[in-house]
Amino acid sequence: MRLATLLALIGLCFGTPVVAQSTNTTTSAAAQTLQVPGWEAVGRLTMSGRSMCTGALIAPDLVLTAAHCLYDIRTNRPVNTHEIEFQAGLFANNAKAVRRVKRAVISEGYVHQNRETQVAHDLALLVLESPISAQVVTPLRT
């Protein structure tokens, strides 16, 4: 049951906000989506300034993301954790908060590029170098 809840949260986090961020023009639908309380907890992960994924702030210093995001898409090797940056509440190239990652923990059972286990275990937690104040970004409730 807990895994199903986390997977539902990931699906929620990786949906609408990414679409809203991908357009450079502000549409009323995108603006409304980002004005919903809590959406600023969803943010972009950049790895060495190039590849990106989405994550959700679930505690002041914890980001929930997909385990496959922690692998370089060209080499399939793990990304250096210290080169990951979380940009919370990103909209029109402005983030409410930006933090580097100091540690990553991948779900037990995740095997990169093994389709049989990828979906059920494709989860990772990122520990931020410093917490984000709830006055700046309120973490999503889990």
Side-chain angles (χ1 to χ4, degrees):
M1 181 69 171
R2 191 170 195 167
L3 181 59
T5 303
L6 286 175
L7 290 174
L9 179 62
I10 289 173
L12 179 66
C13 294
F14 296 131
T16 307
V18 174
V19 174
Q21 291 175 20
S22 66
T23 59
N24 289 332
T25 59
T26 304
T27 63
S28 60
Q32 288 174 359
T33 299
L34 293 173
Q35 291 174 2
V36 172
W39 282 112
E40 52 280 334
V42 177
R44 178 170 68 184
L45 296 170
T46 61
M47 286 68 158
S48 304
R50 55 180 192 269
S51 61
M52 63 181 152
C53 261
T54 305
L57 189 70
I58 59 169
D61 64 342
L62 287 178
V63 173
L64 178 66
T65 191
H68 73 262
C69 292
L70 303 181
Y71 289 83
D72 187 297
I73 59 174
R74 294 179 302 244
T75 66
N76 284 323
R77 292 180 183 219
V79 173
N80 181 344
T81 303
H82 300 289
E83 294 178 2
I84 303 172
E85 181 179 83
F86 177 63
Q87 302 165 344
L90 185 68
F91 184 71
N93 288 328
N94 293 313
K96 296 234 179 210
V98 177
R99 297 289 189 277
R100 292 240 176 240
V101 172
K102 72 176 178 182
R103 185 171 159 225
V105 179
I106 294 175
S107 173
E108 285 186 35
Y110 177 77
V111 177
H112 189 59
Q113 295 203 334
N114 182 342
R115 294 188 189 272
E116 292 175 16
T117 62
Q118 191 168 18
V119 174
H121 301 282
D122 194 9
L123 297 169
L125 283 176
L126 306 176
V127 180
L128 302 177
E129 283 186 345
S130 62
I132 298 174
S133 167
Q135 295 166 334
V136 177
V137 176
T138 304
L140 291 176
R141 293 192 297 159
T142 56

